[in-house]
C-alpha cells in the first residue's frame, strides 16, 4: 500500500530522555533517535499510560490538554470517562483545562460533585497497581465562572517527563476554516467513492503519533486501523454523508494550527430527518447503522503537517 511519507527527512537528533512522572514512578533512561519529530529507534521504552478519570452528573464538560481538545463529555446520570491521553502530553509542565456547564437543572448542577483523577498505569495491569498523580473533588459553585456564561472553569497543572508532542506541533502551520471544511468534505467524498487507500493515508501521521505515545507497533496498528475503516466507513458509508457548510462546528487550537471539527445538524433540512435530534454535536466520522455491523465513531481534528492537511489527534 502506498503511504504518505513525511518529507525533509534529513534532520536526525539523538536525545537522552528521562522517563518518569512525579508521584512515585521510578525513572528509566532511554535513548531516542528522532526524525521529523518521530522516534525511529528506542531502547527501554516507556510503557505507562497516563489516564484521565472524571465522574460527574448533569454536566457538559469540554476537556483540553495543553491547548488541544481532548474530548467533550456529557453526563446526565452519574457517569463519566476513563481514557488515556499520552498523545497530548509534553515534557515539563502540562495543563488540563475543564470548562463545565449544566446539562440539567442549574441548581442541581451547581451542587454536584465532580471527581477528577489522573493516574499512571501499565495497560495490562489492573487499577490496583496504578500510581495517582492528581486527585480532587470539586463543585461548580466553587470554581471560576466564565463571564456572561453559565460555564465554570477548572485548571489542573502537573509535571511529566515522558512522551512529548512538541516536536510534531513545531511542524504544523496555520490552517484556515475554509481549508478545514474543504478537507473534511474531501474526506467524505473519499468514503463515498470507497477510496480506502487515500482515506487511510489521511490518518498516517495521526497513527504514528499514537503508536509513539503508547509504545505500540506502528505497522501492525496502522493495518488494524485500515481494516476497521474497510469494515465500517467503506462498507456502510457515513450516517451523515451530506453536510452543508453552516453545519460544521470548528474551533481553532494552538494558534490556529489545529481545528477540532464537529457537525451540528440543521434539523430544518430534509437530509437530517433520520438523525437523532438529542445529539447536540456529532463527530464528522460516524458509520451508518446496519444490521450485523457495529457503528463506528471517530473523534479527530484537522491540521497541516509539513504543508499537507491531515486528520490529527
Amino acid at each position: 500500500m502506498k503511504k504518505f511519507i513525511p518529507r525533509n527527512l534529513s534532520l536526525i537528533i539523538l536525545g537522552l530522555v528521562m522517563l518518569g512522572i512525579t508521584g512515585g514512578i521510578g525513572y528509566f533512561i532511554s535513548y531516542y533517535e528522532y526524525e521529523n519529530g518521530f522516534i525511529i529507534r528506542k531502547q527501554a521504552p516507556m510503557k505507562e499510560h497516563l489516564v484521565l478519570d472524571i465522574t460527574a452528573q448533569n454536566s457538559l464538560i469540554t476537556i483540553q490538554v495543553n491547548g488541544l481538545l481532548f474530548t467533550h463529555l456529557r453526563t446526565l446520570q452519574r457517569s463519566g470517562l476513563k481514557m488515556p491521553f499520552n498523545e497530548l502530553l509534553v515534557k515539563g509542565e502540562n495543563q488540563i483545562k475543564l470548562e463545565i456547564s449544566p446539562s440539567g437543572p442549574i441548581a442541581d448542577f451547581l451542587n454536584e460533585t465532580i471527581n477528577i483523577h489522573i493516574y499512571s498505569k501499565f495497560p495490562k495491569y489492573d487499577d490496583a497497581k496504578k500510581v495517582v498523580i492528581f486527585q480532587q473533588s470539586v463543585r461548580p459553585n466553587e470554581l471560576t465562572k466564565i463571564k456572561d456564561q453559565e460555564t465554570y472553569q477548572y485548571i489542573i497543572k502537573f509535571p511529566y517527563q515522558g512522551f512529548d508532542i512538541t516536536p510534531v506541533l513545531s511542524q504544523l502551520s496555520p490552517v484556515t476554516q475554509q481549508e478545514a471544511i474543504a478537507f473534511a468534505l474531501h474526506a467524505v467524498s473519499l468514503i463515498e467513492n470507497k477510496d480506502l487507500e487515500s482515506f487511510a493515508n489521511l490518518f498516517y501521521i495521526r497513527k504514528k503519533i499514537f503508536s509513539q505515545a503508547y509504545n505500540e507497533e506502528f505497522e501492525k496498528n496502522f493495518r488494524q486501523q485500515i481494516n476497521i475503516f474497510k469494515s465500517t466507513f467503506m462498507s456502510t458509508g457515513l450516517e451523515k454523508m451530506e453536510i452543508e457548510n453552516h453545519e460544521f462546528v470548528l474551533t481553532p487550537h494552538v494558534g490556529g494550527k489545529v481545528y477540532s471539527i464537529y457537525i451540528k445538524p440543521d434539523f430544518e433540512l430534509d437530509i437530517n430527518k433520520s438523525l437523532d435530534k438529542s445529539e447536540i454535536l456529532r463527530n464528522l466520522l460516524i458509520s451508518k447503522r446496519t444490521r450485523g455491523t457495529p457503528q463506528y465513531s471517530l473523534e479527530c481534528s484537522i491540521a497541516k503537517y509539513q504543508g499537507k492537511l491531515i486528520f490529527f489527534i
Side-chain angles (χ1 to χ4, degrees), residues 37-313:
F38 293 107
I39 293 172
I40 57 173
R41 281 183 286 278
K42 55 191 174 183
Q43 296 176 342
M46 178 188 67
K47 296 181 180 178
E48 295 94 342
H49 289 188
L50 214 63
V51 177
L52 178 61
D53 184 345
I54 298 179
T55 306
Q57 186 170 336
N58 298 318
S59 301
L60 296 168
I61 305 176
T62 297
I63 306 168
Q64 293 187 53
V65 180
N66 296 320
L68 293 166
L69 180 68
F70 181 38
T71 192
H72 294 284
L73 171 64
R74 184 185 185 190
T75 67
L76 295 174
Q77 302 301 318
R78 194 81 183 157
S79 59
L81 65 79
K82 186 184 295 185
M83 294 172 61
F85 62 105
N86 289 30
E87 71 276 8
L88 299 169
L89 296 172
V90 300
K91 288 189 184 117
E93 185 176 81
N94 287 259
Q95 177 178 285
I96 297 177
K97 181 168 74 172
L98 307 179
E99 292 187 349
I100 309 163
S101 56
S103 64
I106 183 65
D108 295 341
F109 162 76
L110 290 174
N111 290 290
E112 289 291 348
T113 299
I114 301 169
N115 298 320
I116 306 162
H117 298 81
I118 302 171
Y119 59 86
S120 176
K121 62 171 287 187
F122 288 87
K124 293 184 179 180
Y125 291 177
D126 59 34
D127 284 357
K129 296 183 179 180
K130 68 186 180 185
V131 177
V132 176
I133 308 302
F134 178 88
Q135 183 172 323
Q136 186 70 51
S137 296
V138 297
R139 290 187 174 89
N141 59 14
E142 302 169 344
L143 305 179
T144 302
K145 185 178 181 182
I146 298 177
K147 186 177 180 181
D148 300 326
Q149 299 181 45
E150 202 57 66
T151 302
Y152 299 79
Q153 188 176 95
Y154 186 56
I155 293 177
I156 303 162
K157 296 182 179 181
F158 61 95
Y160 178 77
Q161 292 297 328
F163 173 75
D164 190 356
I165 189 61
T166 305
V168 178
L169 294 179
S170 69
Q171 298 185 67
L172 301 183
S173 52
V175 181
T176 67
Q177 184 168 313
Q178 291 73 24
E179 285 178 313
I181 290 175
F183 174 79
L185 293 173
H186 170 65
V188 172
S189 73
L190 293 177
I191 294 173
E192 188 173 19
N193 295 324
K194 299 189 183 301
D195 188 344
L196 175 60
E197 181 177 337
S198 298
F199 181 76
N201 279 336
L202 302 180
F203 292 84
Y204 186 80
I205 297 300
R206 171 188 165 97
K207 203 61 184 176
K208 284 197 99 173
I209 294 170
F210 275 86
S211 296
Q212 179 179 328
Y214 294 102
N215 187 39
E216 297 171 341
E217 182 185 340
F218 168 70
E219 293 293 343
K220 177 182 177 181
N221 285 345
F222 192 50
R223 286 195 301 270
Q224 289 174 343
Q225 183 70 82
I226 291 171
N227 288 335
I228 291 172
F229 290 158
K230 183 178 180 179
S231 64
T232 57
F233 300 145
M234 296 297 157
S235 175
T236 68
L238 299 180
E239 194 172 52
K240 181 171 169 57
M241 296 289 292
E242 296 181 71
I243 310 169
E244 298 295 330
N245 282 8
H246 71 276
E247 296 182 294
F248 284 102
V249 177
L250 297 121
T251 305
H253 304 276
V254 291
K257 294 181 179 181
V258 178
Y259 268 91
S260 59
I261 182 163
Y262 294 92
I263 303 299
K264 186 176 181 179
D266 180 351
F267 288 105
E268 297 296 319
L269 302 177
D270 289 342
I271 58 175
N272 296 320
K273 284 185 175 179
S274 63
L275 300 180
D276 183 354
K277 293 186 178 181
S278 68
E279 294 184 273
I280 299 174
L281 288 179
R282 297 168 48 87
N283 289 338
L284 169 69
L285 301 173
I286 304 177
S287 65
K288 187 181 297 182
R289 296 178 188 273
T290 60
R291 183 177 298 178
T293 302
Q295 191 171 39
Y296 181 62
S297 179
L298 184 60
E299 188 171 21
C300 51
S301 60
I302 295 171
K304 187 185 289 184
Y305 177 80
Q306 296 185 345
K308 187 178 182 71
L309 286 165
I310 62 169
F311 280 117
F312 197 56
I313 54 178

Side-chain angles (χ1 to χ4, degrees), residues 6-55:
R7 293 173 290 176
N8 302 323
L9 297 180
S10 59
L11 179 60
I12 299 179
I13 304 171
L14 182 64
L16 176 63
V17 182
M18 294 293 291
L19 296 181
I21 307 171
T22 59
I25 293 180
Y27 281 78
F28 303 88
I29 299 291
S30 293
Y31 288 90
Y32 286 79
E33 195 169 329
Y34 287 88
E35 207 170 62
N36 276 338
F38 293 107
I39 293 172
I40 57 173
R41 281 183 286 278
K42 55 191 174 183
Q43 296 176 342
M46 178 188 67
K47 296 181 180 178
E48 295 94 342
H49 289 188
L50 214 63
V51 177
L52 178 61
D53 184 345
I54 298 179
T55 306

